[in-house]
Amino acid sequence: MDKISPLAETQAINLESNFQGKKRWLMTSAADNGFRQLTKILAILLLGLVITLLISMIYSSRLSISQFGFSFVFSSTWDPVKEVFGALPFIYGTLVSSLIALAFAVPISLGVAVFLTEQCPIKLRPVILTLVELLAAIPSVAYGLWGIFVLVPFMREVVNPVLGKTLGFLPLFQGPAYGIGLLTSGLILAVMIVPITTAISVSSLTAVDPTQREAALALGATRWEATQIMLLNARSGILGGVILGLGRALGETMAVTMVIGNRPEIAASLLAPAYTMASVIANEFAEATYDLYLHALIEIGVLLFILTFIVQGLAQLLIRQITKGTKSNA
Amino acid sequence: MRKFIDKLVFGLCSLSTVLVLGILFLILIYILLNGITSVNLDFFTQLPKPVGEEGGGMANAILGSAIMVVIATIISVPVSLAAAIYLAEFGRGKIAVITRFMVDVLAGVPSIVIGIFIYTIVVLPMQRFSAIAGALALAMIMVPTLVRATEEAIRLVPQTVKEAGLALGAPYWRVIIEIVLVSAHKAIISGILLAIARVAGETAPLLFTALGNRFFVKVLDRPIASLPVQIYTYAVSPYDDWHRQAWAATFLLVMFVLLINLSVRYVTRNKSS
Amino acid sequence: MEKNILKEANEVDNKTATKIEIEASSFNFFYGAKQALYNINIKIPEKSITAFIGPSGCGKSTLLRSINRMNDIVIGSRVEGKMLLNEQDIYAKSVDVVALRRRVGMVFQKSTPFPKSIFENVAYGVKINGLAKSRKHLQEIVEQALKQGALWDEVKDRLNDSAMALSGGQQQRLCIARTLAVMPEVILMDEPCSALDPIATEKIEQLIAELREKYTVIIVTHNMQQATRVSDYTGFFLLGKLIEFDETEKIFTRPKEKKTEDYITGRFG
């Protein structure tokens, strides 16, 4: 009856925090809100940055846009002396060199991806994958340097003559063998995008339920037939990776600039010198002595931005699909 | 017949792998052989000599690159951290979706376009090329990589760790900074290092922001030399001696970049279980 | 007395008349250094349904997967002893694994439809093994397989729809039809109903019961009631060893081994 409950005693202890003033406020949820708003503002800053980019570039190419309008995209005359500008040679060069890159990179990176997921001993896989990804770490200008002094002479002395002899009847492979040009650029780009397409293909393949492979084998399929089922399952991720690689190739500047030949003309031959959107900007920006010239170059930049924007957007859509799939499997 | 196709296909796959690895080694060996002989003390300490004269080094370019990369890191890291925290912890609504989309867009923008952008909003108003313009261009390239890496690092911290912090009465902002970021620090630092490695080799965005310089630069509002731009300039020149120096500089740059990449991978390799 | 002798004589006759489809003889299995199966000796009669039961990790799935050499894809797996299919050792060097797997089909725990149409799923095994002589022949095979798999009525109007749109139970019956389409001699099932609801389970159990007329079926199951419902013979496994193998009725009412009895009565699980 006279027992003092231990609870009653503890209730007497002061539960007030020792923090005073500003420190006290920092412990409240008001501070949390402030923090939240701060991060939100910085996130919106990023949003604003991209919008500003587009607006600013369009503004800085207004002279060229107003003077040439839509014909800028379709005109193939690029004459700074006569003050006539058209972007077609560069669009052509960019697209063709990137497509050549894809034509070489896709089969090779699929081959590597299948090797890594089906044949390679498990312990060796991260090693080889790391090595392949090192190709992505090498700076573009290093590729360019290697291109100028190693690949170009090789193309000029070895590959181009062989192509001329065997496939020279095709207009694709005619013309003098300088060693530079669309084909060479395409090859260097291929090497540069192999790591991306391989890495994404590998992760798409490993995300596939392995029971699919077993089910195929259980029906009497050979290893390759079972692999085809795995590739079928992984197709959207792989496609996303390929498109991502395409986006990278489209915007690649330095390596291409150093081996493309810098000639703003559309030629039928892959061995002829050419020009890409990124290269012309890199080469002639500092020499643009008058405003229209500069604005024309910036307009090419806008076109390049739009092109890569569309391609990257497509790639992201496809890749998001597979990552959603793996999250629900996990 | 089916067996033959089976063997053929897997043979081709092995061949592709050998091809890719072979190209990697080919490139690295050329850089090694051509560059290592020219990397000497002069290279690190001397300024470029005038056109036509042999010798000289790239001391100013090395310093210039270092300065711009450091400034770019200082600018981009806080912004990226904040954005990543927002996206990982708070972002549920439309703003988060749009921001994430914009980060992806920014990640895909060619670096030369970023160079143009900085030219239009920094170089033109300032009426001059400058180190700060170069640094800003590099920072803009770093941001998407950093935001993605950091967001993923934060998401990997288990919910229970956060809840334990909150249950002790810590306000959310403290939980994030002191507990979540600290738990994820390894991954975040790896992300920062990889972004630095990437941006140290960028040439295009510097071409018309920082331009280039043959001397040491002590202020931030003047053009400044950088290693990648110097390599490019020397490589496309007609002088053999400049070519030699370009290889040396490439060797240095590639060593730096590969070293960072390999050590980051090595340090983080045990994390995935 | 006379009746008993006659009955016993009949039973003996039945036993010698039954052909053995699968026989394991001193069969040992290793995953690298770890041994998973110890000296298994078992004779599985043809055109019957055999259940493998036992607690988790007892080796029943490992033995099952050894019968179509699915374990070959596990690195470091090793086999000692013999596994005979129709008196041929399937682990002999001259055996073509790919051809073996056509004769011994497998249905997995989780249904695994390929990302193709319903028709293409069932046709897959037929196509790669070159079993159909013409397009029409292929269609007949697919229809028959789907009928045998008790799925035809439900999908006959939408054969070109994606198989992924079917329910879990339908997908599993599709996988069974897919296996039946290549006309195997043996069908292995690794807990085929464990991911399904009771109604789907019942349908599949009915299907399995009908399969015994044409096929030798071995089913691994955790569910002892399922074993009693469906199988003719049962093998009880524990820690990699075959403890007892006999007619299902005998195992569940008068088991010879104490360990079998303990498991069946739930003393351990």
Side-chain angles (χ1 to χ4, degrees):
Chain A
M1 288 2 115
D2 253 51
K3 219 168 29 172
I4 300 174
S5 152
L7 268 177
E9 285 212 357
T10 51
Q11 272 165 11
I13 292 174
N14 191 351
L15 289 175
E16 290 285 310
S17 156
N18 281 331
F19 287 140
Q20 302 290 337
K22 180 177 176 188
K23 264 197 175 172
R24 185 111 180 251
W25 179 80
L26 282 173
M27 292 288 284
T28 63
S29 47
D32 266 347
N33 266 332
F35 183 66
R36 190 195 159 121
Q37 294 304 322
L38 186 69
T39 55
K40 193 171 179 179
I41 290 174
L42 286 166
I44 296 182
L45 211 80
L46 277 175
L47 211 143
L49 204 60
V50 178
I51 299 178
T52 313
L53 188 152
L54 203 54
I55 296 178
S56 173
M57 281 180 59
I58 294 182
Y59 177 73
S60 300
S61 54
R62 66 193 181 283
L63 289 179
S64 175
I65 297 179
S66 58
Q67 177 138 346
F68 300 110
F70 264 120
S71 67
F72 187 73
V73 178
F74 300 110
S75 156
S76 59
T77 318
W78 181 265
D79 197 335
V81 175
K82 296 210 187 93
E83 302 197 11
V84 177
F85 298 107
L88 199 60
F90 314 108
I91 299 177
Y92 171 78
T94 304
L95 288 176
V96 172
S97 59
S98 303
L99 286 172
I100 295 178
L102 278 186
F104 282 100
V106 170
I108 292 181
S109 57
L110 275 180
V112 176
V114 167
F115 173 81
L116 285 176
T117 51
E118 302 282 333
Q119 295 169 272
C120 184
I122 300 244
K123 291 221 171 100
L124 216 51
R125 189 191 297 176
V127 173
I128 298 188
L129 203 54
T130 304
L131 286 175
V132 173
E133 287 174 1
L134 281 186
L135 276 174
I138 298 178
S140 174
V141 70
Y143 274 108
L145 189 69
W146 184 82
I148 294 183
F149 294 114
V150 179
L151 187 61
V152 167
F154 179 69
M155 295 294 285
R156 187 176 53 231
E157 315 283 322
V158 177
V159 178
N160 288 358
V162 168
L163 281 176
K165 276 190 212 137
T166 51
L167 298 168
F169 58 91
L170 288 171
L172 272 182
F173 296 110
Q174 286 171 354
Y178 296 117
I180 50 174
L182 280 176
L183 185 60
T184 315
S185 318
L187 287 176
I188 289 205
L189 281 177
V191 176
M192 292 173 85
I193 67 176
V194 153
I196 306 173
T197 42
T198 307
I200 295 186
S201 298
V202 168
S203 73
S204 305
L205 280 170
T206 46
V208 177
D209 185 1
T211 342
Q212 289 277 315
R213 184 194 292 121
E214 291 189 357
L217 286 174
L219 288 164
T222 60
R223 245 188 353 161
W224 166 233
E225 284 159 357
T227 307
Q228 285 177 48
I229 294 282
M230 297 297 278
L231 286 170
L232 184 65
N233 273 292
R235 66 189 181 283
S236 57
I238 294 178
L239 188 61
V242 167
I243 298 183
L244 206 62
L246 174 64
R248 173 88 158 77
L250 292 172
E252 181 43 57
T253 315
M254 296 323 291
V256 173
T257 309
M258 288 158 99
V259 299
I260 192 138
N262 305 336
R263 200 171 74 181
E265 279 168 35
I266 302 180
S269 170
L270 294 179
L271 304 184
Y275 228 157
T276 64
M277 292 193 265
S279 306
V280 67
I281 299 173
N283 270 324
E284 306 194 359
F285 208 84
E287 333 226 313
T289 41
Y290 55 94
D291 278 350
L292 185 64
Y293 197 175
L294 194 67
H295 284 224
L297 285 169
I298 297 183
E299 191 178 348
I300 294 185
V302 172
L303 290 174
L304 186 59
F305 175 78
I306 294 175
L307 187 60
T308 49
F309 177 81
I310 294 177
V311 169
Q312 295 277 345
L314 227 78
Q316 289 297 333
L317 274 171
L318 283 165
I319 293 182
R320 289 273 154 113
Q321 267 184 19
I322 38 136
T323 47
K324 272 198 192 129
T326 41
K327 275 191 185 134
S328 55
N329 277 343
Chain B
M1 180 59 189
R2 281 164 68 199
K3 277 202 201 300
F4 172 69
I5 294 183
D6 194 66
K7 284 209 163 86
L8 182 69
V9 169
F10 284 112
L12 286 175
C13 292
S14 308
L15 205 68
S16 312
T17 312
V18 168
L19 182 68
V20 171
L21 292 179
I23 293 180
L24 172 69
F25 286 124
L26 198 66
I27 296 179
L28 289 180
I29 297 244
Y30 263 100
I31 295 177
L32 180 75
L33 290 178
N34 281 316
I36 201 162
T37 48
S38 310
V39 176
N40 47 28
L41 201 59
D42 272 0
F43 184 78
F44 283 99
T45 53
Q46 292 210 4
L47 292 173
K49 288 242 165 53
V51 167
E53 277 186 42
E54 293 230 342
M58 290 202 186
N60 60 338
I62 297 175
L63 187 63
S65 272
I67 291 176
M68 282 194 285
V69 169
V70 165
I71 297 178
T73 312
I74 294 176
I75 297 176
S76 60
V77 168
V79 172
S80 310
L81 271 182
I85 292 174
Y86 177 74
L87 286 177
E89 294 289 321
F90 300 122
R92 306 268 174 264
K94 273 207 209 121
I95 298 218
V97 170
I98 299 179
T99 307
R100 195 170 283 122
F101 173 68
M102 288 300 178
V103 167
D104 284 341
V105 168
L106 206 55
V109 175
S111 55
I112 194 160
V113 172
I114 293 186
I116 298 179
F117 172 54
I118 299 290
Y119 176 82
T120 58
I121 62 165
V122 177
V123 177
L124 280 182
M126 273 177 75
Q127 293 284 312
R128 59 163 68 95
F129 299 101
S130 62
I132 191 74
L136 282 170
L138 294 182
M140 203 163 154
I141 297 177
M142 285 175 81
V143 162
T145 325
L146 282 177
V147 170
R148 277 179 177 166
T150 310
E151 189 191 341
E152 200 183 303
I154 293 179
R155 279 187 195 278
L156 282 175
V157 177
Q159 187 73 0
T160 47
V161 171
K162 288 181 225 169
E163 288 173 359
L166 290 172
L168 288 167
Y172 206 30
W173 69 269
R174 279 191 93 143
V175 169
I176 293 183
I177 294 184
E178 290 172 1
I179 297 178
V180 173
L181 286 187
V182 170
S183 305
H185 80 279
K186 224 181 186 183
I188 296 179
I189 292 185
S190 315
I192 296 178
L193 284 174
L194 286 175
I196 289 179
R198 152 115 193 258
V199 112
E202 283 284 350
T203 321
L206 297 177
L207 286 176
F208 19 87
T209 49
L211 202 66
N213 200 312
R214 284 173 51 218
F215 305 103
F216 281 118
V217 175
K218 301 218 172 103
V219 291
L220 292 178
D221 62 344
R222 289 284 182 279
I224 192 170
S226 59
L227 210 51
V229 173
Q230 200 80 318
I231 295 175
Y232 172 61
T233 315
Y234 276 24
V236 299
S237 75
Y239 310 113
D240 278 341
D241 193 57
W242 278 13
H243 296 168
R244 178 186 64 80
Q245 291 190 35
W247 279 111
T250 303
F251 172 69
L252 196 65
L253 191 59
V254 171
M255 277 302 112
F256 174 72
V257 164
L258 287 187
L259 226 77
I260 292 188
N261 264 283
L262 287 174
S263 20
V264 162
R265 274 174 210 277
Y266 180 76
V267 166
T268 54
R269 100 213 116 113
N270 287 323
K271 297 206 117 201
S272 50
S273 46
Chain C
M1 277 273 256
E2 278 189 0
K3 260 195 198 159
N4 277 342
I5 294 171
L6 273 174
K7 191 174 168 207
E8 266 182 50
N10 275 340
E11 279 177 0
V12 167
D13 273 351
N14 272 341
K15 282 221 171 78
T16 48
T18 312
K19 184 169 154 240
I20 297 302
E21 177 81 21
I22 297 174
E23 179 178 346
S25 164
S26 303
F27 191 76
N28 290 282
F29 188 88
F30 301 83
Y31 286 115
K34 182 166 171 280
Q35 184 159 6
L37 291 173
Y38 296 83
N39 210 11
I40 305 285
N41 288 288
I42 194 171
K43 290 189 173 128
I44 300 189
E46 67 162 4
K47 298 210 175 44
S48 65
I49 302 184
T50 303
F52 287 172
I53 61 172
S56 294
C58 63
K60 52 192 195 294
S61 281
T62 307
L63 183 60
L64 190 81
R65 291 164 67 93
S66 301
I67 300 178
N68 71 340
R69 291 183 60 172
M70 195 51 80
N71 281 323
D72 282 12
I73 60 178
V74 176
I75 301 172
S77 60
R78 195 167 52 90
V79 152
E80 277 170 26
K82 292 207 178 119
M83 179 70 73
L84 306 173
L85 173 69
N86 261 319
E87 289 161 31
Q88 280 178 300
D89 184 7
I90 63 175
Y91 279 93
K93 281 211 170 23
S94 57
V95 168
D96 177 8
V97 164
V98 170
L100 169 71
R101 292 197 183 125
R102 214 211 87 213
R103 293 169 59 197
V104 181
M106 183 173 255
V107 175
F108 300 83
Q109 188 170 345
K110 192 167 144 295
S111 61
T112 55
F114 299 138
K116 298 170 180 251
S117 70
I118 296 173
F119 183 88
E120 286 298 322
N121 260 278
V122 180
Y124 178 78
V126 179
K127 276 187 181 169
I128 56 170
N129 284 298
L131 296 174
K133 296 189 205 87
S134 66
R135 180 86 189 162
K136 190 157 177 291
H137 189 203
L138 180 65
Q139 286 169 339
E140 285 169 8
I141 294 179
V142 169
E143 183 178 329
Q144 189 189 44
L146 284 169
K147 281 182 177 159
Q148 281 189 9
L151 194 59
W152 175 252
D153 286 331
E154 289 166 57
V155 300
K156 63 180 182 223
D157 295 325
R158 44 183 182 131
L159 289 174
N160 287 321
D161 285 357
S162 166
M164 316 300 268
L166 296 173
S167 75
Q170 288 172 322
Q171 283 184 0
Q172 194 65 309
R173 276 181 279 148
L174 177 69
C175 291
I176 296 177
R178 186 172 67 186
T179 309
L180 294 174
V182 297
M183 290 171 286
E185 294 157 39
V186 178
I187 303 179
L188 307 173
M189 297 192 171
D190 195 346
E191 306 202 36
C193 301
S194 59
L196 302 175
D197 64 78
I199 298 181
T201 302
E202 197 189 318
K203 282 202 183 135
I204 293 197
E205 282 182 8
Q206 274 178 343
L207 172 56
I208 296 176
E210 286 166 28
L211 288 176
R212 73 152 69 74
E213 286 180 44
K214 290 208 179 127
Y215 307 94
T216 308
V217 179
I218 305 178
I219 166 169
V220 162
T221 179
H222 258 124
N223 184 339
M224 284 188 279
Q225 285 79 29
Q226 184 172 78
T228 51
R229 283 194 291 269
V230 157
S231 64
D232 306 312
Y233 299 91
T234 299
F236 169 62
F237 294 82
L238 185 60
L239 296 175
K241 301 194 181 90
L242 174 63
I243 307 295
E244 193 173 341
F245 177 78
D246 210 331
E247 290 170 23
T248 301
E249 203 201 315
K250 291 207 182 113
I251 293 267
F252 283 94
T253 51
R254 290 167 283 148
K256 292 198 189 108
E257 302 285 331
K258 177 145 195 323
K259 287 184 193 157
T260 315
E261 194 184 332
D262 285 344
Y263 180 70
I264 290 168
T265 53
R267 250 172 237 152
F268 69 93

